[in-house]
Amino acid sequence: MIELYIGSPIEGISAGNLEPDIYRGLARLEKERPKLVVINLSEINLISEEVDRVIKVLMLHKTPSILICDDEILEQYDKIEHIEVVRRALIDELFEDSVGRLVKLNGLDKQITKISTQKRGLAFYLLSGLLIMEPLLKTAYLKFITGFSFETVFGIILSIESPIKIFEYWMLFPLAGFALAKTAWWSIFVFVGTHLYSLYAHIAYDQFSWPYVQETPHISSNLLLVLNSAIVLYFLTPEHRRPFIKKAKQLFRANERIKIDKKIEVRVGEHQCSGCLVDISQGGALLRIEKELKLGESIELEFKEEELKGPFKAIVVRGIDSDGDGKLYGLKFEFSRRSQRKSLNWYIQEVESA
């Protein structure tokens, strides 16, 4: 599971490859791109520049990593999604949980990012550049065929009053170009959407309309439309659309509420009582409790699971009528540490997969 371990060995932690030297280990990390790496910094006295180099390498390749240390300064990096910082004294309690969270992260986000990045070759970036420059190419072409000065041509273009026509002239193809170059979950949807709109604009083209004053749309638009069609067909093949679709589904599931029946301890000011979570998501939860709460009131939730390091602060955002025992309140989480958000995400995934 752990493909590379860098630093002095620790009993109970095994890895596929061991590299005691930190610098040779970083070189191997950059070359081999392991899916999960552990770096033991607890017995190494690194200056700030050396620590910066370690973090820079991990950030560059977004390598899921566990940093073992005794330096409180390094704990600031626990805020980074793909980095877990574990104090040497807490290895027995936290190490396996950190590995579990990073394995889940590696299985989805890193794989999608890697596949998406591989799908961008030189031809894609060249076409993206042409799409972004398309308004300027049209403007230069208008100057060439009319013989007018640039000042006159721009005056003609700026005389367009329709917001839709302004969007079609200046933004339609550049937006498609930006989406084509960007390796993100939404890029294929924006690209296909702009392409479909450009098809509609060509079909609905009004002959001899301003500013082209010709029978058909501009030649650059026709050429890029053909190239865009080829790209859309390329993206619609199952192999290439799968990572984008999965990433989009993951986004829409981010705040999906999971039904649970979880007993917890609730602290309201100085008062502590028991409650029950009816559902939970990464952003909030639905709490059933006997005590009456006020909208906007801040409370603290304590879970029994050791992995969920509390207390978790939450704000009461709404009250809901209940036919059963107690009252129902909608809560919004307010995380005091990034590690709390990460541990809660891990817990929700465990509940969902159970």
Side-chain angles (χ1 to χ4, degrees):
M1 187 177 296
I2 300 173
E3 295 189 0
L4 178 61
Y5 182 101
I6 301 174
S8 300
I10 296 178
E11 185 178 356
I13 299 179
S14 59
N17 295 282
L18 173 63
E19 180 53 68
D21 184 80
I22 181 70
Y23 301 107
R24 286 198 296 267
L26 290 177
R28 290 186 61 175
L29 190 154
E30 292 187 278
K31 181 180 179 180
E32 300 173 8
R33 306 287 183 86
K35 294 182 179 179
L36 180 58
V37 61
V38 174
I39 304 178
N40 181 11
L41 301 176
S42 62
E43 300 179 13
I44 305 175
N45 294 321
L46 298 179
I47 61 177
S48 59
E49 289 80 4
E50 293 172 322
V51 173
D52 290 342
R53 181 190 171 189
V54 172
I55 300 302
K56 183 178 180 180
V57 171
L58 299 181
M59 292 295 294
L60 178 63
H61 303 296
K62 296 189 181 301
T63 305
S65 311
I66 298 177
L67 300 182
I68 301 174
C69 66
D70 286 325
D71 192 342
E72 293 182 358
I73 297 178
L74 288 172
E75 292 187 356
Q76 63 179 308
Y77 299 111
D78 191 58
K79 299 178 181 179
I80 302 172
E81 185 69 24
H82 61 278
I83 295 178
E84 296 280 335
V85 179
V86 179
R87 299 289 292 271
R88 176 67 182 264
L90 299 176
I91 285 180
D92 293 339
E93 292 83 0
L94 301 179
F95 186 79
E96 291 300 326
D97 296 332
S98 296
V99 171
R101 283 192 286 271
L102 290 176
V103 167
K104 290 180 181 292
L105 177 66
N106 184 75
L108 177 65
D109 292 340
K110 186 179 179 183
Q111 183 179 9
I112 290 173
T113 301
K114 181 179 179 181
I115 294 175
S116 300
T117 304
Q118 288 177 342
K119 303 310 172 187
R120 298 296 193 271
L122 178 60
F124 281 83
Y125 288 112
L126 289 176
L127 178 57
S128 174
L130 288 175
L131 289 168
I132 292 173
M133 294 190 299
E134 194 264 352
L136 299 179
L137 296 176
K138 286 189 297 191
T139 303
Y141 181 77
L142 283 174
K143 179 186 183 305
F144 174 76
I145 63 173
T146 61
F148 297 152
S149 65
F150 273 116
E151 182 179 358
T152 302
V153 171
F154 275 111
I156 295 173
I157 296 171
L158 294 177
S159 67
I160 303 174
E161 297 181 355
S162 170
I164 295 178
K165 293 297 182 182
I166 293 174
F167 169 78
E168 291 175 354
Y169 190 94
W170 290 108
M171 299 181 64
L172 181 59
F173 280 104
L175 182 61
F178 178 74
L180 183 61
K182 184 70 174 177
T183 54
W185 67 267
W186 50 263
S187 58
I188 188 173
F189 301 104
V190 173
F191 180 80
V192 173
T194 54
H195 177 68
L196 293 176
Y197 182 85
S198 63
L199 280 174
Y200 164 77
H202 273 63
I203 294 173
Y205 176 73
D206 188 10
Q207 294 183 349
F208 302 103
S209 60
W210 208 251
Y212 302 126
V213 194
Q214 58 187 26
E215 186 176 359
T216 60
H218 187 260
I219 186 173
S220 66
S221 300
N222 293 326
L223 176 60
L224 291 175
L225 194 62
V226 172
L227 294 176
N228 284 356
S229 299
I231 295 296
V232 169
L233 293 176
Y234 174 83
F235 274 131
L236 288 179
T237 59
E239 177 185 359
H240 301 114
R241 74 169 182 262
R242 189 174 297 115
F244 297 94
I245 301 298
K246 285 184 178 180
K247 188 65 175 178
K249 288 181 178 179
Q250 183 72 8
L251 175 75
F252 289 114
R253 285 202 304 263
N255 286 313
E256 180 183 357
R257 293 194 175 273
I258 308 300
K259 297 292 183 182
I260 59 173
D261 184 15
K262 179 68 177 175
K263 303 293 183 182
I264 60 169
E265 293 298 316
V266 182
R267 178 177 292 277
V268 185
E270 298 298 324
H271 181 74
Q272 185 164 339
C273 57
S274 297
C276 178
L277 291 183
V278 178
D279 63 38
I280 191 170
S281 73
Q282 296 176 9
L286 185 62
L287 172 68
R288 184 186 298 276
I289 189 173
E290 294 290 340
K291 180 177 175 57
E292 184 172 350
L293 303 177
K294 299 178 182 178
L295 293 183
E297 191 169 19
S298 178
I299 65 175
E300 294 182 349
L301 308 179
E302 284 281 4
F303 292 82
K304 295 180 180 179
E305 284 76 8
E306 295 183 358
E307 298 84 0
L308 297 174
K309 302 297 181 181
F312 286 81
K313 294 183 179 180
I315 300 295
V316 180
V317 294
R318 69 180 185 277
I320 302 173
D321 294 334
S322 173
D323 296 331
D325 297 333
K327 302 176 178 62
L328 289 174
Y329 295 95
L331 307 179
K332 178 184 177 182
F333 290 124
E334 290 195 336
F335 300 102
S336 58
R337 301 186 304 275
R338 180 64 178 269
S339 57
Q340 283 191 331
R341 183 188 297 274
K342 291 162 69 174
S343 63
L344 183 64
N345 290 350
W346 171 83
Y347 173 74
I348 292 174
Q349 291 174 0
E350 290 294 312
V351 172
E352 190 175 14
S353 60

